[in-house]
Each structure stands twice: as structure tokens, then as C-alpha cells.
Amino acid sequence: MTQNNDNVPLSKLFLQYQLFGYNIMAYLSKSLANATLGEIDHHAVNNIDGCYQKIIFPDQTSIRYTTWRNGRPFYIILFNPQNEYLFELDLSRLVCIENRFTWYLGIPTNPDSKKILTDTLEQVQLPFEYMAWVEAQKIMLKQGKVVFKEGFLFLEDNSWDELLEKLAVLVQAVMRKHNIANYG
């Protein structure tokens, strides 16, 4: 069984979010041209620290399913060929209730990535119920409990297939905006 650094069995929620990430990575690798999906790094998974899996492109652009900012799990992050962070997706903000998904994306710090979201999604105040749900998830996933009050509505009450399709379109748009991996 996968365990954390304290050798305590991980929760079902933790394992569920681990699987969400692997499934997203598999879908992205199939839907993005010239993408190569790497093997799962079981050492990183078992230690809950580091990069769990990568998608690599010929120009060395990468999408990493990884921990981020002091070992917080479950981020999917786009890096350019110079290994500079361009865009992040925090899976702990993904809410799943009865196989329906709602996801408000955080506000990117990269100006080009923020422009993509501003041009394609609505920036809103997060609903109280959503914020409470995400805060509880973050605590259970050992990500702290900070939930910013604003974000971009990415999807609301959608199926898993709809989530994957929208995510692939978004990632392609971000890659085009940054002119990387032949998406320029």
C-alpha cells in the first residue's frame, strides 16, 4: 500500500486523487501531438515527494504530475524547455461529488497563462460551499487549507469525459500562447 513519510496508510481520498492525476496524464499524452508519457516514479509516489510522472515533448517541454511548493501533492504543471514553470493545475481544487466534477482554477502568476484564462473563462468569487469543500480536501490531502476567494470557473457539474476534453483544449491553448512544443 502507498504510504506517506510517517508510514501511515494513505486515505481513500488521497489514492483517488492520485488516480485522477494518472488518468489525466494518460489522456493528455494521447491528445497532445508528439507527447511521450513516462513511467510512474514509484519512489516519488511512495514518498509523496517529487515528480510522479512526466509527459515530454521533443523540444523538452514537459508536463509534470508532481508535488509542488513544499511537497504539496497533486499538481499538474507545464514547464518550458528551459525548465521554467508556466502553468499549474491544482487537483485538490477539483471537487468530485457522485461522479460529477466542479473545478475552479487558481489565478496564474504567469501573465501569458493568466491571459489565456481571462480570455476563455470567467473569473469569479468562489461559492462558499465549493470553498468549504476544497478546504476540507486540502486538509485531508495534506496541502494546508488556504483557498483563495477568486478563481476561474473551469467546469461545473461535468462528467469525467467532459473534464478531460476541456482540459486537453485548455492545455493546448496555454502551449500555443507560450509558443512551445510546436503549438505556436
CSV table of all heavy atoms in Angstrom, one decimal, residues 13-61:
chain,number,residue,atom,x,y,z
A,13,LEU,N,-9.3,9.0,-0.2
A,13,LEU,CA,-9.3,10.3,-0.9
A,13,LEU,C,-7.9,10.6,-1.6
A,13,LEU,O,-7.9,10.9,-2.8
A,13,LEU,CB,-9.7,11.5,0.0
A,13,LEU,CG,-9.7,12.8,-0.7
A,13,LEU,CD1,-10.9,12.9,-1.7
A,13,LEU,CD2,-9.8,13.9,0.3
A,14,PHE,N,-6.9,10.3,-0.9
A,14,PHE,CA,-5.5,10.5,-1.4
A,14,PHE,C,-5.3,9.6,-2.6
A,14,PHE,O,-4.8,10.1,-3.6
A,14,PHE,CB,-4.5,10.2,-0.3
A,14,PHE,CG,-3.1,10.7,-0.6
A,14,PHE,CD1,-2.7,12.0,-0.1
A,14,PHE,CD2,-2.2,10.0,-1.3
A,14,PHE,CE1,-1.4,12.4,-0.4
A,14,PHE,CE2,-1.0,10.5,-1.6
A,14,PHE,CZ,-0.6,11.7,-1.1
A,15,LEU,N,-5.7,8.4,-2.4
A,15,LEU,CA,-5.5,7.4,-3.5
A,15,LEU,C,-6.4,7.8,-4.7
A,15,LEU,O,-5.9,7.6,-5.9
A,15,LEU,CB,-5.8,6.0,-3.0
A,15,LEU,CG,-4.8,5.5,-2.0
A,15,LEU,CD1,-5.3,4.1,-1.4
A,15,LEU,CD2,-3.4,5.4,-2.5
A,16,GLN,N,-7.6,8.3,-4.5
A,16,GLN,CA,-8.4,8.7,-5.6
A,16,GLN,C,-7.8,9.8,-6.3
A,16,GLN,O,-7.8,9.8,-7.6
A,16,GLN,CB,-9.8,9.1,-5.0
A,16,GLN,CG,-10.8,9.6,-6.1
A,16,GLN,CD,-12.1,10.1,-5.5
A,16,GLN,OE1,-12.1,10.5,-4.4
A,16,GLN,NE2,-13.1,10.0,-6.3
A,17,TYR,N,-7.3,10.8,-5.7
A,17,TYR,CA,-6.7,11.9,-6.4
A,17,TYR,C,-5.4,11.6,-7.1
A,17,TYR,O,-5.1,12.1,-8.1
A,17,TYR,CB,-6.5,13.1,-5.4
A,17,TYR,CG,-7.8,13.9,-5.3
A,17,TYR,CD1,-8.8,13.5,-4.6
A,17,TYR,CD2,-7.9,15.1,-6.1
A,17,TYR,CE1,-10.1,14.1,-4.6
A,17,TYR,CE2,-9.1,15.8,-6.1
A,17,TYR,CZ,-10.2,15.3,-5.4
A,17,TYR,OH,-11.4,15.9,-5.4
A,18,GLN,N,-4.7,10.6,-6.5
A,18,GLN,CA,-3.5,10.1,-7.2
A,18,GLN,C,-3.9,9.5,-8.6
A,18,GLN,O,-3.3,9.8,-9.6
A,18,GLN,CB,-2.9,8.9,-6.3
A,18,GLN,CG,-1.4,9.0,-6.3
A,18,GLN,CD,-0.9,7.9,-5.3
A,18,GLN,OE1,-1.5,6.8,-5.2
A,18,GLN,NE2,0.1,8.2,-4.6
A,19,LEU,N,-5.0,8.7,-8.5
A,19,LEU,CA,-5.5,8.1,-9.8
A,19,LEU,C,-6.1,9.2,-10.7
A,19,LEU,O,-5.9,9.0,-12.0
A,19,LEU,CB,-6.6,7.1,-9.4
A,19,LEU,CG,-7.1,6.2,-10.6
A,19,LEU,CD1,-6.0,5.5,-11.2
A,19,LEU,CD2,-8.2,5.3,-10.0
A,20,PHE,N,-6.7,10.2,-10.2
A,20,PHE,CA,-7.2,11.3,-11.1
A,20,PHE,C,-6.0,11.8,-11.9
A,20,PHE,O,-6.1,12.0,-13.1
A,20,PHE,CB,-7.8,12.4,-10.3
A,20,PHE,CG,-9.2,12.2,-9.8
A,20,PHE,CD1,-9.7,13.0,-8.7
A,20,PHE,CD2,-10.0,11.2,-10.3
A,20,PHE,CE1,-10.9,12.8,-8.2
A,20,PHE,CE2,-11.3,11.0,-9.7
A,20,PHE,CZ,-11.8,11.8,-8.7
A,21,GLY,N,-4.9,12.1,-11.2
A,21,GLY,CA,-3.7,12.6,-11.9
A,21,GLY,C,-3.2,11.7,-13.0
A,21,GLY,O,-2.9,12.1,-14.1
A,22,TYR,N,-3.1,10.4,-12.7
A,22,TYR,CA,-2.5,9.4,-13.6
A,22,TYR,C,-3.5,9.4,-14.9
A,22,TYR,O,-3.0,9.3,-16.0
A,22,TYR,CB,-2.4,8.1,-13.0
A,22,TYR,CG,-1.3,8.0,-12.0
A,22,TYR,CD1,-1.6,7.3,-10.8
A,22,TYR,CD2,-0.1,8.6,-12.1
A,22,TYR,CE1,-0.6,7.2,-9.8
A,22,TYR,CE2,0.9,8.6,-11.1
A,22,TYR,CZ,0.6,7.9,-10.0
A,22,TYR,OH,1.5,7.8,-9.0
A,23,ASN,N,-4.8,9.4,-14.6
A,23,ASN,CA,-5.7,9.3,-15.7
A,23,ASN,C,-5.7,10.6,-16.6
A,23,ASN,O,-5.7,10.5,-17.8
A,23,ASN,CB,-7.1,9.0,-15.2
A,23,ASN,CG,-7.3,7.6,-14.7
A,23,ASN,OD1,-6.5,6.7,-15.1
A,23,ASN,ND2,-8.2,7.4,-13.8
A,24,ILE,N,-5.5,11.7,-16.0
A,24,ILE,CA,-5.4,13.0,-16.7
A,24,ILE,C,-4.1,12.9,-17.5
A,24,ILE,O,-4.1,13.3,-18.7
A,24,ILE,CB,-5.4,14.2,-15.8
A,24,ILE,CG1,-6.8,14.4,-15.2
A,24,ILE,CG2,-4.9,15.4,-16.5
A,24,ILE,CD1,-6.9,15.4,-14.1
A,25,MET,N,-3.0,12.5,-17.0
A,25,MET,CA,-1.7,12.4,-17.7
A,25,MET,C,-1.8,11.5,-18.9
A,25,MET,O,-1.4,11.8,-20.0
A,25,MET,CB,-0.6,12.0,-16.8
A,25,MET,CG,-0.2,13.0,-15.7
A,25,MET,SD,0.5,14.5,-16.3
A,25,MET,CE,2.2,13.9,-16.6
A,26,ALA,N,-2.5,10.3,-18.7
A,26,ALA,CA,-2.6,9.4,-19.8
A,26,ALA,C,-3.5,10.0,-20.9
A,26,ALA,O,-3.1,9.9,-22.1
A,26,ALA,CB,-3.3,8.1,-19.3
A,27,TYR,N,-4.5,10.7,-20.6
A,27,TYR,CA,-5.4,11.4,-21.6
A,27,TYR,C,-4.6,12.5,-22.3
A,27,TYR,O,-4.7,12.6,-23.5
A,27,TYR,CB,-6.7,11.9,-20.9
A,27,TYR,CG,-7.6,12.5,-21.9
A,27,TYR,CD1,-8.6,11.6,-22.6
A,27,TYR,CD2,-7.6,13.8,-22.3
A,27,TYR,CE1,-9.4,12.1,-23.5
A,27,TYR,CE2,-8.5,14.3,-23.3
A,27,TYR,CZ,-9.4,13.4,-23.9
A,27,TYR,OH,-10.3,13.9,-24.8
A,28,LEU,N,-3.9,13.3,-21.6
A,28,LEU,CA,-3.2,14.4,-22.2
A,28,LEU,C,-2.1,13.9,-23.1
A,28,LEU,O,-1.9,14.4,-24.2
A,28,LEU,CB,-2.5,15.3,-21.1
A,28,LEU,CG,-3.5,16.2,-20.3
A,28,LEU,CD1,-2.7,17.0,-19.3
A,28,LEU,CD2,-4.2,17.1,-21.2
A,29,SER,N,-1.4,12.8,-22.7
A,29,SER,CA,-0.4,12.3,-23.6
A,29,SER,C,-0.9,11.7,-24.9
A,29,SER,O,-0.3,11.8,-25.9
A,29,SER,CB,0.4,11.2,-22.9
A,29,SER,OG,-0.3,10.0,-22.7
A,30,LYS,N,-2.2,11.2,-24.9
A,30,LYS,CA,-2.8,10.7,-26.1
A,30,LYS,C,-3.4,11.9,-27.0
A,30,LYS,O,-3.5,11.8,-28.2
A,30,LYS,CB,-3.9,9.8,-25.8
A,30,LYS,CG,-3.4,8.4,-25.2
A,30,LYS,CD,-4.5,7.5,-24.8
A,30,LYS,CE,-4.0,6.3,-24.1
A,30,LYS,NZ,-5.0,5.5,-23.6
A,31,SER,N,-3.8,13.0,-26.3
A,31,SER,CA,-4.4,14.1,-27.1
A,31,SER,C,-3.5,15.2,-27.5
A,31,SER,O,-3.9,16.0,-28.3
A,31,SER,CB,-5.6,14.6,-26.2
A,31,SER,OG,-5.1,15.2,-25.0
A,32,LEU,N,-2.3,15.2,-27.1
A,32,LEU,CA,-1.3,16.2,-27.4
A,32,LEU,C,-0.3,15.6,-28.4
A,32,LEU,O,0.3,14.6,-28.1
A,32,LEU,CB,-0.6,16.8,-26.2
A,32,LEU,CG,-1.5,17.4,-25.2
A,32,LEU,CD1,-0.7,17.7,-23.9
A,32,LEU,CD2,-2.1,18.7,-25.7
A,33,ALA,N,-0.1,16.3,-29.5
A,33,ALA,CA,0.9,15.8,-30.5
A,33,ALA,C,2.3,15.7,-30.0
A,33,ALA,O,2.7,16.6,-29.2
A,33,ALA,CB,0.8,16.8,-31.7
A,34,ASN,N,3.0,14.7,-30.4
A,34,ASN,CA,4.4,14.4,-30.1
A,34,ASN,C,4.6,14.3,-28.6
A,34,ASN,O,5.7,14.5,-28.1
A,34,ASN,CB,5.3,15.5,-30.6
A,34,ASN,CG,5.1,15.6,-32.1
A,34,ASN,OD1,5.2,14.6,-32.8
A,34,ASN,ND2,5.0,16.8,-32.7
A,35,ALA,N,3.6,13.9,-27.8
A,35,ALA,CA,3.8,13.7,-26.4
A,35,ALA,C,4.2,12.3,-26.0
A,35,ALA,O,3.7,11.3,-26.6
A,35,ALA,CB,2.5,14.1,-25.7
A,36,THR,N,5.2,12.2,-25.1
A,36,THR,CA,5.6,10.9,-24.7
A,36,THR,C,5.4,10.8,-23.2
A,36,THR,O,5.9,11.6,-22.4
A,36,THR,CB,7.1,10.6,-25.0
A,36,THR,OG1,7.3,10.7,-26.4
A,36,THR,CG2,7.5,9.2,-24.5
A,37,LEU,N,4.6,9.8,-22.8
A,37,LEU,CA,4.2,9.7,-21.3
A,37,LEU,C,5.3,8.8,-20.7
A,37,LEU,O,5.5,7.6,-21.1
A,37,LEU,CB,2.9,9.0,-21.2
A,37,LEU,CG,2.4,8.8,-19.7
A,37,LEU,CD1,2.2,10.1,-19.0
A,37,LEU,CD2,1.1,8.0,-19.8
A,38,GLY,N,5.9,9.3,-19.7
A,38,GLY,CA,6.9,8.5,-18.9
A,38,GLY,C,6.3,7.5,-18.0
A,38,GLY,O,5.1,7.6,-17.7
A,39,GLU,N,7.1,6.7,-17.4
A,39,GLU,CA,6.6,5.7,-16.4
A,39,GLU,C,6.4,6.4,-15.1
A,39,GLU,O,7.0,7.5,-14.8
A,39,GLU,CB,7.7,4.6,-16.2
A,39,GLU,CG,8.0,3.7,-17.4
A,39,GLU,CD,6.8,2.9,-17.8
A,39,GLU,OE1,6.1,2.3,-16.8
A,39,GLU,OE2,6.5,2.7,-19.0
A,40,ILE,N,5.6,5.8,-14.3
A,40,ILE,CA,5.3,6.3,-12.9
A,40,ILE,C,6.5,6.1,-12.1
A,40,ILE,O,7.1,5.0,-12.1
A,40,ILE,CB,4.1,5.7,-12.3
A,40,ILE,CG1,2.8,6.0,-13.1
A,40,ILE,CG2,3.9,6.0,-10.8
A,40,ILE,CD1,1.6,5.2,-12.7
A,41,ASP,N,7.0,7.1,-11.4
A,41,ASP,CA,8.1,7.0,-10.5
A,41,ASP,C,7.6,6.6,-9.1
A,41,ASP,O,7.1,7.4,-8.3
A,41,ASP,CB,8.8,8.4,-10.4
A,41,ASP,CG,10.0,8.3,-9.4
A,41,ASP,OD1,10.2,7.4,-8.6
A,41,ASP,OD2,10.8,9.2,-9.5
A,42,HIS,N,7.6,5.3,-8.9
A,42,HIS,CA,7.0,4.7,-7.7
A,42,HIS,C,7.8,5.2,-6.4
A,42,HIS,O,7.2,5.3,-5.4
A,42,HIS,CB,7.0,3.2,-7.8
A,42,HIS,CG,6.0,2.7,-8.8
A,42,HIS,ND1,4.7,2.8,-8.6
A,42,HIS,CD2,6.2,2.2,-10.1
A,42,HIS,CE1,4.0,2.3,-9.7
A,42,HIS,NE2,4.9,2.0,-10.6
A,43,HIS,N,9.0,5.5,-6.6
A,43,HIS,CA,9.8,6.0,-5.4
A,43,HIS,C,9.2,7.4,-5.0
A,43,HIS,O,8.9,7.6,-3.8
A,43,HIS,CB,11.3,6.2,-5.7
A,43,HIS,CG,12.0,6.8,-4.6
A,43,HIS,ND1,12.3,6.1,-3.5
A,43,HIS,CD2,12.5,8.1,-4.4
A,43,HIS,CE1,13.0,6.9,-2.6
A,43,HIS,NE2,13.1,8.1,-3.2
A,44,ALA,N,8.9,8.2,-5.9
A,44,ALA,CA,8.3,9.5,-5.6
A,44,ALA,C,6.9,9.3,-5.1
A,44,ALA,O,6.5,10.0,-4.1
A,44,ALA,CB,8.2,10.4,-6.9
A,45,VAL,N,6.1,8.4,-5.6
A,45,VAL,CA,4.8,8.1,-5.2
A,45,VAL,C,4.8,7.6,-3.7
A,45,VAL,O,4.0,8.1,-2.9
A,45,VAL,CB,4.1,7.1,-6.1
A,45,VAL,CG1,2.7,6.6,-5.5
A,45,VAL,CG2,3.8,7.7,-7.4
A,46,ASN,N,5.7,6.7,-3.5
A,46,ASN,CA,5.7,6.1,-2.1
A,46,ASN,C,6.2,7.1,-1.1
A,46,ASN,O,5.9,6.9,0.1
A,46,ASN,CB,6.6,4.8,-2.1
A,46,ASN,CG,5.9,3.7,-2.9
A,46,ASN,OD1,4.7,3.7,-3.0
A,46,ASN,ND2,6.7,2.8,-3.4
A,47,ASN,N,7.0,8.1,-1.5
A,47,ASN,CA,7.5,9.0,-0.5
A,47,ASN,C,6.7,10.3,-0.5
A,47,ASN,O,7.0,11.3,0.2
A,47,ASN,CB,8.9,9.3,-0.8
A,47,ASN,CG,9.8,8.1,-0.4
A,47,ASN,OD1,9.7,7.6,0.7
A,47,ASN,ND2,10.6,7.6,-1.4
A,48,ILE,N,5.7,10.4,-1.4
A,48,ILE,CA,4.9,11.6,-1.5
A,48,ILE,C,5.7,12.9,-1.7
A,48,ILE,O,5.5,13.9,-1.2
A,48,ILE,CB,3.9,11.8,-0.3
A,48,ILE,CG1,3.2,10.5,0.1
A,48,ILE,CG2,2.8,12.8,-0.7
A,48,ILE,CD1,2.5,10.6,1.3
A,49,ASP,N,6.8,12.7,-2.5
A,49,ASP,CA,7.6,13.9,-2.7
A,49,ASP,C,8.3,13.7,-4.1
A,49,ASP,O,8.8,12.7,-4.4
A,49,ASP,CB,8.7,14.0,-1.6
A,49,ASP,CG,9.4,15.3,-1.7
A,49,ASP,OD1,8.9,16.3,-2.2
A,49,ASP,OD2,10.6,15.3,-1.2
A,50,GLY,N,8.2,14.7,-4.9
A,50,GLY,CA,8.8,14.7,-6.2
A,50,GLY,C,7.8,14.5,-7.3
A,50,GLY,O,6.6,14.6,-7.1
A,51,CYS,N,8.4,14.2,-8.5
A,51,CYS,CA,7.6,14.1,-9.7
A,51,CYS,C,7.1,12.7,-9.9
A,51,CYS,O,7.9,11.7,-10.0
A,51,CYS,CB,8.4,14.5,-10.9
A,51,CYS,SG,7.5,14.4,-12.5
A,52,TYR,N,5.8,12.5,-9.9
A,52,TYR,CA,5.2,11.2,-10.0
A,52,TYR,C,5.3,10.6,-11.5
A,52,TYR,O,5.5,9.5,-11.7
A,52,TYR,CB,3.7,11.2,-9.7
A,52,TYR,CG,3.4,11.8,-8.3
A,52,TYR,CD1,2.4,12.8,-8.3
A,52,TYR,CD2,4.1,11.5,-7.2
A,52,TYR,CE1,2.0,13.4,-7.1
A,52,TYR,CE2,3.7,12.1,-6.0
A,52,TYR,CZ,2.7,13.1,-5.9
A,52,TYR,OH,2.4,13.7,-4.8
A,53,GLN,N,5.1,11.5,-12.4
A,53,GLN,CA,5.0,11.1,-13.8
A,53,GLN,C,5.2,12.4,-14.7
A,53,GLN,O,4.8,13.5,-14.3
A,53,GLN,CB,3.7,10.5,-14.1
A,53,GLN,CG,3.6,9.7,-15.5
A,53,GLN,CD,2.3,8.9,-15.6
A,53,GLN,OE1,1.3,9.4,-15.1
A,53,GLN,NE2,2.4,7.8,-16.3
A,54,LYS,N,5.8,12.2,-15.9
A,54,LYS,CA,6.1,13.3,-16.8
A,54,LYS,C,5.5,12.9,-18.2
A,54,LYS,O,5.6,11.8,-18.7
A,54,LYS,CB,7.6,13.5,-17.0
A,54,LYS,CG,8.2,14.2,-15.9
A,54,LYS,CD,9.7,14.5,-16.4
A,54,LYS,CE,10.5,15.0,-15.2
A,54,LYS,NZ,11.9,15.2,-15.6
A,55,ILE,N,5.1,14.0,-18.9
A,55,ILE,CA,4.9,14.0,-20.4
A,55,ILE,C,6.0,14.8,-20.9
A,55,ILE,O,6.2,16.0,-20.5
A,55,ILE,CB,3.6,14.5,-20.8
A,55,ILE,CG1,2.4,13.7,-20.2
A,55,ILE,CG2,3.4,14.6,-22.3
A,55,ILE,CD1,1.0,14.2,-20.4
A,56,ILE,N,6.8,14.3,-21.9
A,56,ILE,CA,7.9,15.0,-22.5
A,56,ILE,C,7.6,15.2,-24.0
A,56,ILE,O,7.0,14.3,-24.6
A,56,ILE,CB,9.2,14.3,-22.4
A,56,ILE,CG1,9.5,14.0,-20.9
A,56,ILE,CG2,10.4,15.0,-23.1
A,56,ILE,CD1,10.0,15.2,-20.1
A,57,PHE,N,8.0,16.4,-24.5
A,57,PHE,CA,7.8,16.7,-25.9
A,57,PHE,C,9.2,16.8,-26.5
A,57,PHE,O,10.2,17.0,-25.8
A,57,PHE,CB,7.1,18.1,-26.1
A,57,PHE,CG,5.7,18.0,-25.5
A,57,PHE,CD1,5.4,18.3,-24.2
A,57,PHE,CD2,4.6,17.6,-26.3
A,57,PHE,CE1,4.1,18.2,-23.7
A,57,PHE,CE2,3.3,17.6,-25.9
A,57,PHE,CZ,3.1,17.8,-24.5
A,58,PRO,N,9.3,16.7,-27.8
A,58,PRO,CA,10.7,16.7,-28.5
A,58,PRO,C,11.5,18.0,-28.1
A,58,PRO,O,12.7,17.9,-28.1
A,58,PRO,CB,10.4,16.7,-30.0
A,58,PRO,CG,9.1,15.9,-30.0
A,58,PRO,CD,8.3,16.4,-28.8
A,59,ASP,N,10.9,19.1,-27.9
A,59,ASP,CA,11.6,20.4,-27.6
A,59,ASP,C,12.0,20.5,-26.1
A,59,ASP,O,12.5,21.5,-25.6
A,59,ASP,CB,10.9,21.6,-28.0
A,59,ASP,CG,9.6,21.9,-27.2
A,59,ASP,OD1,9.2,21.0,-26.4
A,59,ASP,OD2,9.1,23.0,-27.3
A,60,GLN,N,11.7,19.4,-25.3
A,60,GLN,CA,12.0,19.3,-23.9
A,60,GLN,C,11.0,20.1,-23.0
A,60,GLN,O,11.2,20.2,-21.8
A,60,GLN,CB,13.4,19.7,-23.5
A,60,GLN,CG,14.4,18.7,-24.2
A,60,GLN,CD,14.1,17.3,-23.9
A,60,GLN,OE1,14.1,16.8,-22.8
A,60,GLN,NE2,13.9,16.5,-24.9
A,61,THR,N,9.9,20.5,-23.6
A,61,THR,CA,8.7,21.0,-22.8
A,61,THR,C,8.2,19.8,-22.0
A,61,THR,O,8.3,18.7,-22.5
A,61,THR,CB,7.6,21.5,-23.8
A,61,THR,OG1,8.1,22.7,-24.5
A,61,THR,CG2,6.4,21.9,-23.0
